[in-house]
Amino acid sequence: MSTRVIRGVIGYTITPFAVDGSLDLPALGRSIDKLIASGVHAIAPLGSTGEGAYLSDAEWESVVRFSQQQVAGRVPTVVSVSDLTTARTVQRARLAESCGATAVMVLAASYWKLTDTEIVDHFKAVGAAINIPIMLYNNPATSGTDLSVDLILRILDDVKNVTMVKESTGDIQRMHRLFKATNGKVAFYNGCNPLALEALIAGAAGWCTAAPNLIPDLNLALWDAVQNGQMEQARTLFYRQYDMLEYITRRGLPTTIKAGLKLQGLDVGGPRLPLQPLDADGCTLLQQRLDELAPTPGVTP
Amino acid sequence: MSTRVIRGVIGYTITPFAVDGSLDLPALGRSIDKLIASGVHAIAPLGSTGEGAYLSDAEWESVVRFSQQQVAGRVPTVVSVSDLTTARTVQRARLAESCGATAVMVLAASYWKLTDTEIVDHFKAVGAAINIPIMLYNNPATSGTDLSVDLILRILDDVKNVTMVKESTGDIQRMHRLFKATNGKVAFYNGCNPLALEALIAGAAGWCTAAPNLIPDLNLALWDAVQNGQMEQARTLFYRQYDMLEYITRRGLPTTIKAGLKLQGLDVGGPRLPLQPLDADGCTLLQQRLDELAPTPGVTP
Amino acid sequence: MSTRVIRGVIGYTITPFAVDGSLDLPALGRSIDKLIASGVHAIAPLGSTGEGAYLSDAEWESVVRFSQQQVAGRVPTVVSVSDLTTARTVQRARLAESCGATAVMVLAASYWKLTDTEIVDHFKAVGAAINIPIMLYNNPATSGTDLSVDLILRILDDVKNVTMVKESTGDIQRMHRLFKATNGKVAFYNGCNPLALEALIAGAAGWCTAAPNLIPDLNLALWDAVQNGQMEQARTLFYRQYDMLEYITRRGLPTTIKAGLKLQGLDVGGPRLPLQPLDADGCTLLQQRLDELAPTPGVTP
Amino acid sequence: MSTRVIRGVIGYTITPFAVDGSLDLPALGRSIDKLIASGVHAIAPLGSTGEGAYLSDAEWESVVRFSQQQVAGRVPTVVSVSDLTTARTVQRARLAESCGATAVMVLAASYWKLTDTEIVDHFKAVGAAINIPIMLYNNPATSGTDLSVDLILRILDDVKNVTMVKESTGDIQRMHRLFKATNGKVAFYNGCNPLALEALIAGAAGWCTAAPNLIPDLNLALWDAVQNGQMEQARTLFYRQYDMLEYITRRGLPTTIKAGLKLQGLDVGGPRLPLQPLDADGCTLLQQRLDELAPTPGVTP
């Protein structure tokens, strides 16, 4: 487990579908190449943006195999392996590891509310099954389960390969408490786009985001500004991209990122039903925002 | 579509697992027979209680086929066919219909937040695919999606075979508004056990509940008391079973119903991980509540 | 302390203002007489409906003195004496007692969040200062403090003249738990109009409501139907008045009750700024609802 | 209206009480002098920390007169003039202006929920009555009213002397939206202590806080670090004081600040009942935190 922690902007991939609803792996390849070429520090397949929850087991397996081959070690990867059952999460984690994933991400997904013990044991089971690091993912808005800071600290204690925490509640106080409780030692990640400035300044080790599919230069420039301690620059860059970050997050990442890629010339299909492609008004708004943020040749963001 | 609406106490089945984690269909058969013998007015396989969300496709198919064969038309059935994708929900609804289900139940399950249009279209797709009635199921606590009364009314208008609405928010005002908006014409169902007295008195057409697995006499006596206009009797019966209803709902239905059945001599295994079997303290409490509620021979509840 | 508990429909009075903003006591007298003539079982001055929170100390004192004189022992009274400080609450409670109030009502009002000990001690201080019963009032929507069922039970234990509990959270489960925890012995009251049917059937000792200012016959008929065990009749009566109950509660009681009284011919002025008189659209809607509910001569509600 | 906007750390004063519960103005004088000597950029009497809501009218008037005399123009002042009624808010605002306040702060306090129009008109009434700037204060936790960003923008448009916005929801997104909607032109203030780092970096014009009563050096050093663009320094300073900021905010400002001042040798009495003095455990914890943060002689924070 050489790479225990990934730092930087972690770009989440979409999962392209053909018109008949089947996987479009060539388009996936192009979108991965686009992301890597943009300079993101890592690639995260099959996350919320990647519609991992909507895929069949066979599709899921195809995507993880293909993604790892396409990335081909150019950057580290974090594969989302979450499933409602422990058994299938373990199985996916093992598959990801066998395909060469650098790390896996696990959301405490649930249908029935889980007890703290059930959540800890779920992470223990995954931790025992693999030899790569785990990114614990807390996102009550999609999972229905909110892991308290205390519970996260307990998992960090009990499961040694949980080395990263992705916080998507949108509550910066969670990050403050994680930082304080571990003397700044835990690697936490921002999973809420419109909180990027604050999370990075509060000490986040990275930014988990689908935005680099569309506006990578701005995302990376913000990351760099914070790393370089350029506060004024960071603020300006953040507010420049804020409306876009807020919109794609609120309106849904698969829906908006797929629409945006199409507007940029890369057709990756629509999301899977019941999710529908972004409607005409949404596309107009998105085009407008993309135009505003388009890099002027010769000018750094 | 002769039976457009089912009235009465609708008993939800658990899904038994053997020690190796595989389906235990013989135990399922016994639990279905127990429920029917107790007098419930209908059987609902594969709902939240039935851990439908935790099954593989193959398992799901086995359970629906087996359940329909076991019920064998003795009472109507409502099969939960919810899935995250529209395609799989439609496929399951068709399978349920082909196996002889009286009706299907559809939860607006989601990972990404759905727009109103996406929700309506999801129900339209299911409605167009089958010729049996649909029970719309609103349960934000498990699905993450809360359907407003206005949206439910729109679906009732747009999808003709949505003829029943199961409300599990625990907010009795939703039922009041459904009643008023349809002049008492919509068939709504109580899906929140500790609200049973109020929902039935407010005019609910039925009570969707897993409680009859354990205390069917009390559940049915409450239903009967309300139907007979025996208000004082209904109140007494409700408070008698209240602590049990509250506990199984709060602590989780698969967990508690499976533990309770075992205490009553029917071993149906534990729930599927990450859900764990009820712990020792919980079993003691449950046994105590069962003892308190045990029917005295020769005394009606 | 002969009357420890008041049963029935407790009618809340408004506090009329003249055009110059001063108290209009003659109009208050007429509104009290109207309420008593309608048959309510008790009168409650200076509650939320009575804008008690918006009065100066001198005004408050005038209203309590005048109200007690006007009621003149025809029915019991419950005077709301809540204030942000313990000292002033005690002072108001003593004044109410000295004016002849049957009971006082105390809301755990707060600006800063109170600890449980602070809340209990607040009730202890009031309890020690007077010899008449106290109705504990829980209404987080106006007070910002939500008293848990456990805390209410603790206060009932610790402060002997707290003999009544008015629950206005709108959550019927609170009433269930109060009922179960005291074996049905605590007198609890419904303070949420659109929950009246359920609360009464769940065993409420009374209904605290401003609605009898406008539609007393329907309110009292609902009370009677439940007391007589006429379930079907109770449901019909409840749904008949539901839209009105829901509207006045949602839109604000001082605003709507004052507007409604004016529509019925009794001018009591508008509420105190920042509260504004009901606007034209609201008045039209209210008139329409009043017309629908107007008693047909010779027909019981 | 020369000073339209106040920049920097705005220190909130407590209101000392003597043992008999009366105002202790000499102690107030000492606490004001201590704050000014510490270097805060402005003084804010009678806010939430100052228990303004718990004072009689006569007490309130004494405190505002005394505070203005004591400050004596050494720094600007922002006097909280909020009251439940518009009339009394206007009266207090005029009094504050006549005493020499630099600006007034107005919380949309409410008992009954206000409509948007009622809120706007409330601010209009105050705005028309005085010639000094108004700081709009949004704090749903104490006021029960949450002003949306859109409503705040409408008030900024409609009431010209509302020139500052204090946001205490703890939701940094509100500040982002205010910034974006006004192109960074509106002066917004952080009112949530544990959000200080993020709010200042997001562009807040100041930090409204009671913390400088106890740890002014750290508060001011954080402000300075952000103004000087020293990001790393700002983060270190913030996390150093974080536990203290979090504790005093969560446990209640009058309670903890008064206890802390006593620990530091300035006896200002306890808060007014129902608020009780900080208990022994709380005092021990507070002393510990103060010790940890005590400035080492010769070392800058």
Side-chain angles (χ1 to χ4, degrees), chain A residues 54-68:
Chain A
Y54 299 83
L55 302 182
S56 72
D57 284 344
E59 289 173 328
W60 194 91
E61 188 170 336
S62 296
V63 173
V64 71
R65 287 194 189 288
F66 181 87
S67 300
Q68 287 295 140

Side-chain angles (χ1 to χ4, degrees), chain B residues 99-154:
Chain B
C99 292
T102 313
V104 298
M105 185 171 81
V106 176
L107 177 73
S110 89
Y111 184 90
W112 285 98
K113 194 174 153 44
L114 301 174
T115 64
D116 284 0
T117 301
E118 286 170 340
I119 293 170
V120 172
D121 287 354
H122 183 68
F123 280 96
K124 276 185 185 166
V126 182
I130 57 174
N131 287 299
I132 53 176
I134 296 170
M135 178 182 280
L136 179 156
Y137 179 24
N138 188 36
N139 189 352
T142 54
S143 73
T145 307
D146 191 1
L147 278 62
S148 70
V149 170
D150 283 347
L151 183 57
I152 291 175
L153 293 171
R154 184 173 148 199

